[in-house]
């Protein structure tokens, strides 16, 4: 067996802390970060090394706030929450230009009008027939894509608006 230590797991919680340490030096140390979070250093270590099945949601809220990493919340909902894992949520911070373009494209008036007309046609009789299923699936996929880009936009807004407080 070699003498080199095993490379540590760098999950999202550790990545978020290390990114935050770039602007807040207190977070470069797991011990100091755990003190600021009000938890034991070994507990934060367990979170960062993936030694727990699910990080408690209140601790994710604290980390997201302290690290100014709102994407930790949607990452938790998407990947750890047993209830919300199916939701179309963004799980990382992305570039504002790309998000804005995707959002504006998704809010294209022509596409929205087409979707609105199709949805009215499908639902006006109160029943969804077999021949309407594919159109309904397309509307659902369109809305899922829109929800995801909206959550990306919300992550960027939350991060930058917190900086302004």
């Amino acid at each position: 067996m070699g003498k080199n230590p095993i490379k540590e797991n760098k999950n999202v919680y550790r990545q978020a802390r290390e990114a935050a340490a770039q602007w807040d030096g207190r977070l470069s140390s797991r011990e100091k970060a755990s003190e600021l979070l009000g938890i034991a250093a070994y507990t934060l270590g367990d979170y960062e090394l993936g030694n727990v099945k699910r990080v408690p949601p209140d601790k994710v809220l604290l980390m997201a706030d302290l690290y100014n990493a709102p994407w930790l919340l949607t990452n938790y909902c998407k990947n750890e929450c047993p209830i919300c894992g199916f939701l179309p949520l963004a799980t990382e911070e992305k570039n504002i230009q790309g998000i804005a373009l995707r959002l504006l494209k998704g809010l294209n008036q022509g596409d929205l009008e087409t979707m609105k007309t199709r949805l009215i046609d499908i639902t006006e009789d109160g029943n969804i027939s077999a021949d309407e299923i594919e159109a309904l699936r397309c509307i659902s996929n369109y809305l899922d894509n829109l929800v995801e880009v909206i959550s990306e936009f919300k992550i960027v807004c939350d991060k930058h608006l917190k900086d302004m407080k």
Side-chain angles (χ1 to χ4, degrees), residues 43-63:
T43 301
L44 182 57
D46 284 344
Y47 298 164
E48 291 184 353
L49 296 171
N51 293 336
V52 294
K53 184 175 182 178
R54 193 172 294 119
V55 176
D58 61 317
K59 303 309 180 208
V60 177
L61 285 166
L62 289 172
M63 286 187 278

Side-chain angles (χ1 to χ4, degrees), residues 19-40:
Q22 299 299 315
W23 51 267
D24 186 342
R26 300 174 302 167
L27 300 174
S28 61
S29 152
R30 185 178 290 156
E31 290 73 21
K32 185 62 178 175
S34 65
E35 183 180 311
L36 294 168
L37 291 166
I39 60 176

Side-chain angles (χ1 to χ4, degrees), residues 10-23 27 48 63-64 66-72 159:
K10 284 194 172 193
N11 71 10
V12 294
Y13 302 110
R14 180 160 177 195
Q15 290 170 14
R17 180 177 57 81
E18 288 178 348
Q22 299 299 315
W23 51 267
L27 300 174
E48 291 184 353
M63 286 187 278
L66 180 63
Y67 304 161
N68 195 13
W71 58 268
L72 281 177
K159 180 177 177 69

